[in-house]
Structure formats: structure tokens, C-alpha cells
Amino acid sequence: MKKKLTRTEKNELTQKNLFEAAVKVVGQIGYRDASVTEITTRANIAQGTFYNYFDSKQDILDQLLPELGHNLLEFLGKQVGDATFLEREEKSIRAYFQFIKDKPEFYRILVEAQVYSPQSFITHADNLIGNYESALKRTKEKGFLKNYSEDEFEVIALILLGARVYLSRQFCFRNGKAAAVPEHVVKTYMKFIAAGLGDASKSDTRQKSAAPKLAQPEAMYQCDVVHAESDDFTATYETSSRLSNTTCAEADFHIQQISSDLIKRTTERLLGDDACIKSTNIYVSQHQVCEEITGTCKVEHISPTEGIIHFRLTGNHSGVPAHLASGQVVFIRAD
């Protein structure tokens, strides 16, 4: 026997039906042409009943986007779960496209809200941007995005959220119907993310580290090779005065630059041109750049054609010795 609804449950169901009907109406004919009559007719509810739940047509229209945005964030959260940085981004973009496919009205409501319900658009945008910024902060706490400061997270969030809107417009609708996004769209998006954010983050289990690429180092530091013999290499770096008041993110970047330069010099001096770097793992431990930095490397031979370079950067900061960075480089060499 079907359970009889309480008065509260009936009211909640009626309000939900009106809201879902409004989503369908606005999704099909837009904010401008939507009317209370259209909404109540679709919901199969008397027009007078509408005003027991909403003050006006604008009242319900102003609630559409923030509520759908809340549903979107809940859906994304369930799909993403606890994942590494790049895995999270891929699951998130796939879930976003799936949400559009399941709720195609969302796209039109999102776009038209900027004109017909501007405050609801601002509320929705703030919710999504804030959620994305929080996710990026958690990602940084786990060791990723080391070259980005928290001041940059709002910009990153806006760039990626904007990309989703335009990708949805271009690929989520075919022949007037919502459709699954072609696989190459996701792959291209992730290629962009990996190049722009992945290479600047801690190694991801899905990534393969590339050989170090150096910018012009002379502009920021000068290097003097102190020792290069057998399997040991030592160099000192005199940094530019421009680095004295740098930010944490910039300090990390230049420490990684110097680490890459040290690896390059070690490879060229001790291993020759036939050595090829297979993978690199750089750990930056201090958000600072000293006036003088000492770099040391030691080569560990695993086989006649493969080995590991262990390196370390140290310096003095206000008279206190500082461990700036360390890591390992796996190399292979033609026999």
C-alpha cells in the first residue's frame, strides 16, 4: 500500500514539480518567453497555487541557476572523489559534459541568466569559482602546482570554467539535442591542462617527466664550475639581485631552473652527449633564493647503460645554511 504523504511532503513535492517545470520551460523557450502559465501547465498545477511557493515569475527564475549549480557541484563531487591532480581534472571535465547531457536545459539557463537574472548568475559564478579555488588549494597542499601561488588560483579557475562553457556550446549539442562529447575533446583538454599545469606540478602518476628545458639562465644567475671529475660535479651559482624580493612561486621556479642547469652541466661534463635523461624528480624545500648557491651532483651507475644522478642545492640565507632543493635524475646512455 502506497504511503500517504504528509502536508509538508506534499508542499515539498509541489514546489519541486514547479521548479523542474520552470527548468524545462526556460530551457526550451528561454527566460523572456517563460510565463507562470507555461510553468504551471507543464507542472499540472493550478496557476493560483504557484503563488503559495513563489512571489512572482522572476522569483522562481532567479532560483533556477544557483540551484542547478548546486546540483552540478554535488554531481561533480561524487564523480571525482579522491583523485590525483590530473585524474581529478579529467574526471571533472567528463562529469561536467555528462551533466550537460543529462540536463541540457542548464546551458541555456546559464547563458541567458547573465541578461535576465544577473544576480543569480553572479551567485552561481561565485559558487563555482570559490569551489574551484578551494580544490586548487587542496591540490597545492598535496604537493602539486608548486609553481603557482594562491593569488593565481582565481585566474586559473576562471580560465578553466570559461573553457567548459564554450566547449559545451560547441560539442554538447548536435542536431538540436544533447549528445556525448567526442573523445578527442577530452583528450585535447587534458593535453592542455598537463602542459599548462601538470608540468608545473609535482609528478603525477599519470605523467612522464620530460627532459629539462632551460630558459636563458645568464639573466638570473651566473655559474662557476668548481669541480667536474669522475662521477662528482660541483658548481656555484651567483644569483641576480632581482631575485632578492621574489615571491614564493617565483623562488620555486628559479630554484627549479638552477636545478635543471646543474643537471644539464653534469650530464654534459661527466656523461657526454650520448647520455639521455629518462626522468627527473626535483624536490624544492625552501621558498627563497640565496645570493650564492652551491650545487653538487653524484652519479650512481646501475648498469653500463643506465644510472642515477643525485643532486642537491644548498645556500646561505641571512647567515643560516639552507637546503634549497634535491632530487634524482634517471639517465640512459648508448653503449
Side-chain angles (χ1 to χ4, degrees), residues 217-222 237-245 289-291:
E218 291 74 20
M220 303 309 291
Y221 58 82
Q222 291 183 346
Y237 292 85
E238 183 179 346
T239 63
S240 167
S241 60
R242 288 161 51 195
L243 297 182
S244 59
N245 295 317
V289 178
C290 303
E291 293 180 0

mmCIF file of all heavy atoms in Angstrom, residues 217-222 237-245 289-291:
data_model
loop_
_atom_site.group_PDB
_atom_site.id
_atom_site.type_symbol
_atom_site.label_atom_id
_atom_site.label_comp_id
_atom_site.label_asym_id
_atom_site.label_seq_id
_atom_site.Cartn_x
_atom_site.Cartn_y
_atom_site.Cartn_z
ATOM 1 N N PRO A 217 69.686 31.189 -18.736
ATOM 2 C CA PRO A 217 69.993 31.314 -17.330
ATOM 3 C C PRO A 217 70.810 32.547 -16.983
ATOM 4 O O PRO A 217 70.761 33.016 -15.869
ATOM 5 C CB PRO A 217 70.803 30.036 -17.040
ATOM 6 C CG PRO A 217 71.438 29.687 -18.354
ATOM 7 C CD PRO A 217 70.438 30.112 -19.388
ATOM 8 N N GLU A 218 71.588 33.089 -17.940
ATOM 9 C CA GLU A 218 72.501 34.186 -17.627
ATOM 10 C C GLU A 218 71.774 35.412 -17.090
ATOM 11 O O GLU A 218 72.350 36.207 -16.361
ATOM 12 C CB GLU A 218 73.314 34.576 -18.867
ATOM 13 C CG GLU A 218 74.324 33.508 -19.300
ATOM 14 C CD GLU A 218 73.648 32.318 -19.957
ATOM 15 O OE1 GLU A 218 72.506 32.470 -20.415
ATOM 16 O OE2 GLU A 218 74.256 31.235 -19.991
ATOM 17 N N ALA A 219 70.513 35.569 -17.422
ATOM 18 C CA ALA A 219 69.780 36.755 -16.991
ATOM 19 C C ALA A 219 69.498 36.743 -15.485
ATOM 20 O O ALA A 219 69.348 37.780 -14.877
ATOM 21 C CB ALA A 219 68.456 36.863 -17.746
ATOM 22 N N MET A 220 69.447 35.538 -14.865
ATOM 23 C CA MET A 220 69.074 35.431 -13.473
ATOM 24 C C MET A 220 70.191 34.883 -12.588
ATOM 25 O O MET A 220 70.137 35.011 -11.377
ATOM 26 C CB MET A 220 67.832 34.545 -13.330
ATOM 27 C CG MET A 220 66.630 35.037 -14.130
ATOM 28 S SD MET A 220 66.224 36.767 -13.860
ATOM 29 C CE MET A 220 65.635 36.700 -12.195
ATOM 30 N N TYR A 221 71.201 34.251 -13.165
ATOM 31 C CA TYR A 221 72.300 33.752 -12.350
ATOM 32 C C TYR A 221 73.527 33.517 -13.227
ATOM 33 O O TYR A 221 73.435 33.385 -14.447
ATOM 34 C CB TYR A 221 71.915 32.445 -11.644
ATOM 35 C CG TYR A 221 71.490 31.334 -12.579
ATOM 36 C CD1 TYR A 221 72.437 30.533 -13.241
ATOM 37 C CD2 TYR A 221 70.150 31.067 -12.806
ATOM 38 C CE1 TYR A 221 72.047 29.525 -14.096
ATOM 39 C CE2 TYR A 221 69.752 30.061 -13.666
ATOM 40 C CZ TYR A 221 70.706 29.284 -14.303
ATOM 41 O OH TYR A 221 70.308 28.287 -15.149
ATOM 42 N N GLN A 222 74.680 33.469 -12.572
ATOM 43 C CA GLN A 222 75.927 33.115 -13.240
ATOM 44 C C GLN A 222 76.498 31.894 -12.541
ATOM 45 O O GLN A 222 76.432 31.782 -11.310
ATOM 46 C CB GLN A 222 76.930 34.279 -13.177
ATOM 47 C CG GLN A 222 76.508 35.472 -14.019
ATOM 48 C CD GLN A 222 77.553 36.581 -14.009
ATOM 49 O OE1 GLN A 222 78.462 36.580 -13.186
ATOM 50 N NE2 GLN A 222 77.426 37.519 -14.936
ATOM 51 N N TYR A 237 76.503 29.065 -7.920
ATOM 52 C CA TYR A 237 75.648 29.974 -8.674
ATOM 53 C C TYR A 237 75.545 31.293 -7.920
ATOM 54 O O TYR A 237 75.188 31.322 -6.741
ATOM 55 C CB TYR A 237 74.248 29.381 -8.849
ATOM 56 C CG TYR A 237 74.209 28.168 -9.739
ATOM 57 C CD1 TYR A 237 74.479 26.898 -9.237
ATOM 58 C CD2 TYR A 237 73.903 28.291 -11.096
ATOM 59 C CE1 TYR A 237 74.441 25.779 -10.051
ATOM 60 C CE2 TYR A 237 73.856 27.172 -11.924
ATOM 61 C CZ TYR A 237 74.131 25.928 -11.392
ATOM 62 O OH TYR A 237 74.098 24.820 -12.210
ATOM 63 N N GLU A 238 75.865 32.373 -8.616
ATOM 64 C CA GLU A 238 75.672 33.712 -8.069
ATOM 65 C C GLU A 238 74.392 34.266 -8.685
ATOM 66 O O GLU A 238 74.323 34.490 -9.896
ATOM 67 C CB GLU A 238 76.858 34.609 -8.398
ATOM 68 C CG GLU A 238 76.751 35.997 -7.789
ATOM 69 C CD GLU A 238 77.966 36.867 -8.105
ATOM 70 O OE1 GLU A 238 78.989 36.311 -8.556
ATOM 71 O OE2 GLU A 238 77.867 38.086 -7.915
ATOM 72 N N THR A 239 73.366 34.471 -7.867
ATOM 73 C CA THR A 239 72.058 34.847 -8.394
ATOM 74 C C THR A 239 71.954 36.348 -8.593
ATOM 75 O O THR A 239 72.661 37.141 -7.968
ATOM 76 C CB THR A 239 70.935 34.391 -7.447
ATOM 77 O OG1 THR A 239 71.083 35.057 -6.198
ATOM 78 C CG2 THR A 239 70.982 32.900 -7.235
ATOM 79 N N SER A 240 71.041 36.735 -9.466
ATOM 80 C CA SER A 240 70.802 38.148 -9.744
ATOM 81 C C SER A 240 70.142 38.818 -8.552
ATOM 82 O O SER A 240 69.366 38.212 -7.815
ATOM 83 C CB SER A 240 69.899 38.278 -10.974
ATOM 84 O OG SER A 240 69.399 39.583 -11.100
ATOM 85 N N SER A 241 70.428 40.109 -8.359
ATOM 86 C CA SER A 241 69.807 40.867 -7.270
ATOM 87 C C SER A 241 68.303 40.987 -7.463
ATOM 88 O O SER A 241 67.559 41.251 -6.525
ATOM 89 C CB SER A 241 70.426 42.265 -7.173
ATOM 90 O OG SER A 241 70.234 42.969 -8.403
ATOM 91 N N ARG A 242 67.828 40.770 -8.688
ATOM 92 C CA ARG A 242 66.392 40.848 -8.980
ATOM 93 C C ARG A 242 65.605 39.765 -8.244
ATOM 94 O O ARG A 242 64.384 39.841 -8.112
ATOM 95 C CB ARG A 242 66.159 40.712 -10.480
ATOM 96 C CG ARG A 242 66.592 41.921 -11.280
ATOM 97 C CD ARG A 242 66.771 41.574 -12.749
ATOM 98 N NE ARG A 242 65.598 40.897 -13.284
ATOM 99 C CZ ARG A 242 65.608 40.236 -14.434
ATOM 100 N NH1 ARG A 242 66.712 40.172 -15.154
ATOM 101 N NH2 ARG A 242 64.526 39.656 -14.877
ATOM 102 N N LEU A 243 66.310 38.727 -7.769
ATOM 103 C CA LEU A 243 65.617 37.629 -7.105
ATOM 104 C C LEU A 243 65.478 37.837 -5.606
ATOM 105 O O LEU A 243 64.862 37.033 -4.923
ATOM 106 C CB LEU A 243 66.364 36.314 -7.351
ATOM 107 C CG LEU A 243 66.451 35.845 -8.805
ATOM 108 C CD1 LEU A 243 67.171 34.515 -8.881
ATOM 109 C CD2 LEU A 243 65.073 35.723 -9.421
ATOM 110 N N SER A 244 66.035 38.900 -5.062
ATOM 111 C CA SER A 244 66.081 39.063 -3.607
ATOM 112 C C SER A 244 64.701 39.219 -2.983
ATOM 113 O O SER A 244 64.462 38.782 -1.867
ATOM 114 C CB SER A 244 66.954 40.254 -3.229
ATOM 115 O OG SER A 244 66.438 41.447 -3.823
ATOM 116 N N ASN A 245 63.768 39.859 -3.707
ATOM 117 C CA ASN A 245 62.430 40.090 -3.158
ATOM 118 C C ASN A 245 61.363 39.354 -3.957
ATOM 119 O O ASN A 245 60.260 39.838 -4.135
ATOM 120 C CB ASN A 245 62.118 41.595 -3.142
ATOM 121 C CG ASN A 245 63.021 42.363 -2.219
ATOM 122 O OD1 ASN A 245 63.292 41.922 -1.115
ATOM 123 N ND2 ASN A 245 63.507 43.514 -2.679
ATOM 124 N N VAL A 289 65.598 32.326 -2.520
ATOM 125 C CA VAL A 289 66.785 32.230 -3.377
ATOM 126 C C VAL A 289 67.914 32.972 -2.687
ATOM 127 O O VAL A 289 67.797 34.160 -2.388
ATOM 128 C CB VAL A 289 66.525 32.845 -4.767
ATOM 129 C CG1 VAL A 289 67.792 32.780 -5.609
ATOM 130 C CG2 VAL A 289 65.404 32.086 -5.467
ATOM 131 N N CYS A 290 69.021 32.274 -2.395
ATOM 132 C CA CYS A 290 70.170 32.889 -1.738
ATOM 133 C C CYS A 290 71.036 33.588 -2.774
ATOM 134 O O CYS A 290 70.951 33.319 -3.967
ATOM 135 C CB CYS A 290 70.972 31.822 -1.003
ATOM 136 S SG CYS A 290 69.987 30.912 0.213
ATOM 137 N N GLU A 291 71.912 34.477 -2.284
ATOM 138 C CA GLU A 291 72.806 35.188 -3.192
ATOM 139 C C GLU A 291 73.811 34.240 -3.834
ATOM 140 O O GLU A 291 74.217 34.419 -4.981
ATOM 141 C CB GLU A 291 73.528 36.307 -2.443
ATOM 142 C CG GLU A 291 72.605 37.426 -1.986
ATOM 143 C CD GLU A 291 73.365 38.515 -1.259
ATOM 144 O OE1 GLU A 291 74.601 38.387 -1.123
ATOM 145 O OE2 GLU A 291 72.727 39.489 -0.826
#
